[in-house]
Amino acid sequence: MNINIPKQGRDLLNDNMISIGSHDNVSRTTKVASEYSVDISGKDKDISGFGMEELKSFNDVKSKASVKDVSLEHNALAVMSNSMSGEDFANITKDGFSVSDLEPGETVTILDKIKTTLAKSGVEIPGYTDDLSTEQIAKITGSTGYAIAIESSLNDNMLPVTRENVESIDDALKLSERVDEPSSDAKKFIINNDLDLTVTNFYMANHSSSDSNSGGKAGFYKDATGYVGKNPTSLDFEQLKPQIEKIISDADLEVNEKTLTDAKWLLEKDLPLTKENLQKLSDINSISFPLNEKRVADASAAALADGINVKDAILTNTESIQVKAGKFIENVEGIVANTLNDLSNGKTSEAYNITHTDNEISARRVLEETRLALTIEASVSLIKKGINVDTKDLQKLVEDLKQAEKESFAPFLMEEDYEDVPADKLKAYDDELTLKIDLFKKTTGAVNEIKSAPIDVIGEAVTAGEGKNVTLGEIADSSVKIKSDYEKAGRSYETMMTAPRADMGDSIKKAFRNVDDILEDLDVEVTRLNEKAVRTLGYAGIEINESNIDKAVNATVAVENVIAHMTPAKTLSMIRNGENPLDTDIYELSDKLLSESEDEVNTKYSEFLYKLEKSGSITESEKSAFIGMYRLFRKIEKSDGKLVGDVIKADEKLTLSNLLTSSRSDRQVGTDVKIDDDFGFLEKLITSGESITDQILRGFSNKDIDKEYAKEEAKHIKEMITEEETVIRALENMDEPQSPSNLAAMNMIINSRGSFFKGIKDKLDEDGKAELESEIENLQESFEDEESVKDAYESFAKRSEEILKNQAQTADNYIDVRSYKLLNKQLNVISKLADSRTYEVPVEIDGELTSINLKIVSDSENAGRVKATFETEGTGRVSAEFVLKNGIVTGFIATENSYFESVLREKEEGFKAEFEQVGVTVSSMDYASSRGLNIKGNYVERVNLNTPPTKQLYRLAKAIIKSVQK
């Protein structure tokens, strides 16, 4: 018996599907005597009853795609908000990343790696449970049983036990109490409507009528002598059994009485027999009712970890992606190890179908490739894609893993993601990315190699000729060779990053027992680095003299700097910018890694202030002295030796007091505090591979304070995140990353009008306020043409940056420094907005400082629009659009309240006069009032920047600025 499908329809149909079709389809099939004709589609001609929509226009499709993109951003933001603990924050920053400036997808990738590593190792990290205790959770949920289930599920999925996470899972548990075992009709409803197996959908299915959702009436069809409009009989089912069994196998289910019964149930319920429907029915039947609270909690926690709303948690998915990836890695590692062992013992491997004598070399190559390709990043990426990994085909697995790894690295190393690259440029993109990933791995490998290298590897830098560069790559290569020579000779050695080991033996201790004597004889100060330099020269067989000691110290400091600061974040950033760390001179690389942005400086300073405040028994005067010392040391580092040189040149002792005097004479801010030699700290600066401010910061750290700081920062990151679509869209239009700091800044700009300008003005004294007001006036007056506005914004931004920098340097508490960072980020966003002709302009309305948002749209050479929005406590929200064509303006103003509408009507003549002063005539002005008026559209509207705006449009904008202030 065969199932016939007309040839012309085979390409359009799913080969893995059998359904009982409607008689309307019989006329479209080829009829052969005594053969069955089965409609594979399972649908009536009238598709509207099956939830299928009409074909959409291109714009509709594009719009839907756009919404999907935002949904992906929401998921990534949700992962950050739900799953980042204080421990996660500490781990991310340890690798050199600024969490507040990472894009959501980048943060999620790093979190995936951290949590998958934990899942793989099975290490339980204390701290995930210290937000709320079991007793506190029980108070929230009203149930000790719920509390235990929730706490366990969050821990299993490595999520912080926060109130938000607990309440989300508690909601799901409470709804699950109302879910009964699904009836036959409820199961049909779920399958027919292709619903996920969530608590919400089971509840809905049990309370919905199946009649209106059952689809078209299906039937079983035979030729002219067969059945029409009848369900299959037992005989019919037996005749279709071979095809049914194939579909069961394709669904990765075992062919047995249970699965055959499920297949028959689908056919009897007029449902298409597909592997998807078989699997869904099997999943439904695998869930026991009433719903087990641990299953609901596990599914909810897994959803939270994956950035999915708890109401969409699938009950059969009780493990997060990271947990699945950890198990997948362990599984494949086991397969590889067992297979290699089988091959070594001359056995046939079940995991890799090959014998000891049959192409063993090829098999070993594939197995080793698998081991190398099995990175955490690649494994997580495969799991996220829902790829059903076939470990029987390791060659294919290797290819999938390599591609997945490239896709996970792309956001960190390339300007574009894979999906944004045109097809004709994909190969070049792929080749470049592959080279960059290889360079990243080699660089991190080189740094790790040098960490354990014998200290005489520095000898190469000491003996390098005048003007010869010594690169990171060369030092790493020397490390391998020197280490190998020691090991071949069976000799112990001192490594770059450790003190001499206790197992070195008396011979080494004796060899260097006179280091201090050597330094004193050479009249060289006895310091850690000088002592290490003597040992380095001794190991390398280089003459020990003052010149070589200086060279060894400089080389050691440079290498230690590189080891300490060549974080994954710095490495990725350099490679992304086209730099090759391996080929960079070690001294140049050290200087580059030590350089810090203003944001990095402020971050470090705010951490110092936080830890200083939390250190306990410090008086206000001591706190002031510590802050002054920190600022002084920061200035010493930034002066690149100038302050130290000034003290030495004056033939003064190198003390803190003298350095402070030198810094004050240098007319720099931030050190107006009393520090003298009796303060009890360093009397002289000792050169070190670690920055002095880092040493001070470390001095105020302990495990408890470090942990508390990480938790506080993780909490702050979550507070910065908003999932408001307008905010996300606005950043997207500017091609700015949706990082937490950008989200917070844009959110303040959009939803708290004028907050930046108020924030910066509040920090100034009277002279500073007068200067700022002058800059604001200059900005308002600049609306004559695009170039003038650009220049004015640059001037305003420069002055504002100076103000914020000065305020951050002189702040004396953690919260203030953090607020300056956010203000600085708002300034960056406002400046970037101006590039898209969307201008945030400070204005004063009825004595209140706020901002008016102006968007200038050039439609053609002689036509365009200016769209303006603002909001104050007195006016409410106001939105206006003025269309300019051939010097004539038509205007429309919408207000939130009718009272202000009447005020505007009274001032109409004044508006017209203001407009006429800039050379335009108002032909008409219309008004409307609307409660709940939306004034955010300017931020998300894209405009064509290729059409230059006329001067008239800018002058019209200037007239609007002046009008709203009168």
Side-chain angles (χ1 to χ4, degrees), residues 535-554:
R535 294 197 302 271
T536 298
L537 297 172
Y539 279 122
I542 299 171
E543 181 183 354
I544 300 174
N545 57 42
E546 188 174 354
S547 174
N548 285 342
I549 288 173
D550 284 343
K551 289 180 181 177
V553 166
N554 290 335

Side-chain angles (χ1 to χ4, degrees), residues 133-176:
S133 65
T134 308
E135 292 74 20
Q136 288 172 314
I137 301 170
K139 283 184 179 179
I140 294 171
T141 62
S143 164
T144 302
Y146 277 10
I148 293 170
I150 291 172
E151 186 175 23
S152 172
S153 299
L154 289 171
N155 287 333
D156 289 346
N157 286 279
M158 295 162 291
L159 294 172
V161 186
T162 61
R163 174 174 287 275
E164 293 79 13
N165 287 345
V166 168
E167 288 176 347
S168 293
I169 299 177
D170 182 48
D171 288 343
L173 285 167
K174 285 184 167 56
L175 179 60
S176 71

Side-chain angles (χ1 to χ4, degrees), residues 217-257:
K217 288 294 182 182
F220 185 76
Y221 300 99
K222 204 174 176 183
D223 62 4
T225 61
Y227 307 95
V228 178
K230 293 176 61 180
N231 285 326
T233 64
S234 297
L235 175 63
D236 298 328
F237 189 80
E238 287 300 316
Q239 291 174 318
L240 289 170
K241 196 172 182 181
Q243 284 75 21
I244 292 171
E245 289 177 345
K246 181 179 183 305
I247 295 175
I248 293 172
S249 297
D250 289 342
D252 293 324
L253 296 171
E254 184 182 342
V255 177
N256 54 31
E257 185 176 348

Side-chain angles (χ1 to χ4, degrees), residues 341-549:
N341 185 58
D342 288 346
L343 291 173
S344 298
N345 294 321
K347 297 179 182 178
T348 299
S349 169
E350 293 182 4
Y352 194 82
N353 190 22
I354 195 165
T355 64
H356 180 70
T357 57
D358 180 19
N359 200 13
E360 180 181 345
I361 294 175
S362 175
R364 286 187 179 277
R365 178 182 60 77
V366 170
L367 290 164
E368 290 301 332
E369 283 187 343
T370 305
R371 194 198 303 271
L372 290 172
L374 193 65
T375 64
I376 289 175
E377 294 90 347
S379 303
V380 170
S381 183
L382 285 183
I383 300 294
K384 282 187 173 181
K385 289 182 176 179
I387 294 175
N388 185 18
V389 182
D390 183 6
T391 52
K392 296 286 185 182
D393 187 353
L394 292 185
Q395 183 73 63
K396 178 65 168 59
L397 177 59
V398 167
E399 293 171 6
D400 288 342
L401 285 168
K402 286 180 177 178
Q403 183 58 33
E405 182 183 56
K406 284 191 283 190
E407 291 176 6
S408 69
F409 267 102
F412 297 96
L413 290 172
M414 306 293 282
E415 294 300 323
E416 294 179 292
D417 289 339
Y418 259 102
E419 57 267 24
D420 298 325
V421 181
D424 60 328
K425 296 182 180 178
L426 193 56
K427 185 181 184 307
Y429 175 96
D430 193 78
D431 291 344
E432 181 184 351
L433 177 57
T434 300
L435 289 173
K436 287 185 172 181
I437 293 173
D438 184 55
L439 178 56
F440 172 76
K441 290 180 177 179
K442 285 180 178 176
T443 301
T444 53
V447 172
N448 287 329
E449 183 64 48
I450 295 172
K451 284 180 183 178
S452 60
I455 62 171
D456 38 324
V457 73
I458 296 298
E460 182 168 334
V462 175
T463 57
E466 189 71 29
K468 182 183 183 299
N469 290 344
V470 179
T471 67
L472 176 64
E474 288 170 344
I475 293 177
D477 291 341
S478 295
S479 301
V480 176
K481 181 181 181 305
I482 296 172
K483 191 187 297 184
S484 176
D485 290 342
Y486 272 108
E487 290 170 355
K488 285 177 183 177
R491 294 170 56 197
S492 299
Y493 53 86
E494 179 183 351
T495 65
M496 277 297 305
M497 295 306 287
T498 61
R501 296 200 313 270
D503 64 354
M504 284 182 172
D506 289 339
S507 61
I508 293 176
K509 292 177 183 176
K510 288 176 182 177
F512 293 109
R513 69 180 181 275
N514 62 340
V515 168
D516 290 358
D517 295 336
I518 293 172
L519 290 171
E520 288 172 5
D521 288 344
L522 293 170
D523 198 23
V524 175
E525 192 173 7
V526 177
T527 67
R528 176 189 75 84
L529 282 169
N530 286 341
E531 287 175 336
K532 190 170 185 178
V534 172
R535 294 197 302 271
T536 298
L537 297 172
Y539 279 122
I542 299 171
E543 181 183 354
I544 300 174
N545 57 42
E546 188 174 354
S547 174
N548 285 342
I549 288 173

Side-chain angles (χ1 to χ4, degrees), residues 544-612:
I544 300 174
N545 57 42
E546 188 174 354
S547 174
N548 285 342
I549 288 173
D550 284 343
K551 289 180 181 177
V553 166
N554 290 335
T556 300
V557 169
V559 171
E560 288 182 354
N561 280 340
V562 171
I563 291 172
H565 297 283
M566 196 78 207
T567 60
K570 294 268 189 180
T571 307
L572 289 165
S573 177
M574 286 186 69
I575 294 171
R576 181 172 184 166
N577 292 332
E579 300 172 77
N580 185 334
L582 292 177
D583 290 345
T584 305
D585 173 65
I586 197 72
Y587 299 103
E588 180 187 336
L589 186 58
S590 172
D591 290 342
K592 186 184 293 289
L593 292 172
L594 285 176
S595 65
E596 296 175 321
S597 68
E598 197 63 36
D599 191 60
E600 289 172 321
V601 171
N602 288 339
T603 297
K604 189 182 292 185
Y605 183 43
S606 66
E607 182 179 356
F608 163 72
L609 290 173
Y610 179 89
K611 292 181 176 179
L612 179 61

Side-chain angles (χ1 to χ4, degrees), residues 254-324:
E254 184 182 342
V255 177
N256 54 31
E257 185 176 348
K258 178 183 177 303
T259 52
L260 287 170
T261 299
D262 285 348
K264 189 172 183 179
W265 183 90
L266 287 170
L267 294 174
E268 288 173 345
K269 292 294 180 182
D270 301 339
L271 293 167
L273 179 56
T274 66
K275 63 181 183 180
E276 291 81 12
N277 284 352
L278 269 172
Q279 185 61 63
K280 182 158 286 188
L281 180 59
S282 175
D283 288 343
I284 292 173
N285 292 334
S286 73
I287 300 172
S288 59
F289 292 85
L291 289 169
N292 178 275
E293 61 190 32
K294 185 65 169 72
R295 177 193 278 269
V296 175
D298 284 346
S300 300
L304 284 173
D306 295 341
I308 300 168
N309 195 303
V310 166
K311 69 180 181 61
D312 298 319
I314 298 173
L315 290 168
T316 52
N317 183 28
T318 55
E319 293 177 333
S320 69
I321 287 169
Q322 296 94 351
V323 173
K324 290 175 184 174

Side-chain angles (χ1 to χ4, degrees), residues 855 857 859 862-868 880-892 915 920-925 952-953 956 960:
K855 191 173 198 74
V857 183
D859 295 324
N862 62 352
R865 291 167 286 144
V866 179
K867 305 176 75 173
E881 181 168 357
F882 298 90
V883 178
L884 175 66
K885 189 171 184 180
N886 297 324
I888 305 298
V889 170
T890 56
F892 175 76
F915 291 167
V920 296
T921 302
V922 178
S923 67
S924 65
M925 293 272 282
Q952 268 195 320
L953 279 173
L956 175 59
I960 296 169

Side-chain angles (χ1 to χ4, degrees), residues 829-868:
V829 173
I830 287 170
S831 299
K832 189 74 176 178
L833 273 169
D835 293 339
S836 60
R837 298 184 191 138
T838 305
Y839 304 102
E840 204 72 18
V841 184
V843 293
E844 193 168 291
I845 301 175
D846 292 335
E848 180 181 343
L849 181 62
T850 183
S851 63
I852 182 171
N853 182 268
L854 295 168
K855 191 173 198 74
I856 294 181
V857 183
S858 181
D859 295 324
S860 66
E861 195 172 310
N862 62 352
R865 291 167 286 144
V866 179
K867 305 176 75 173

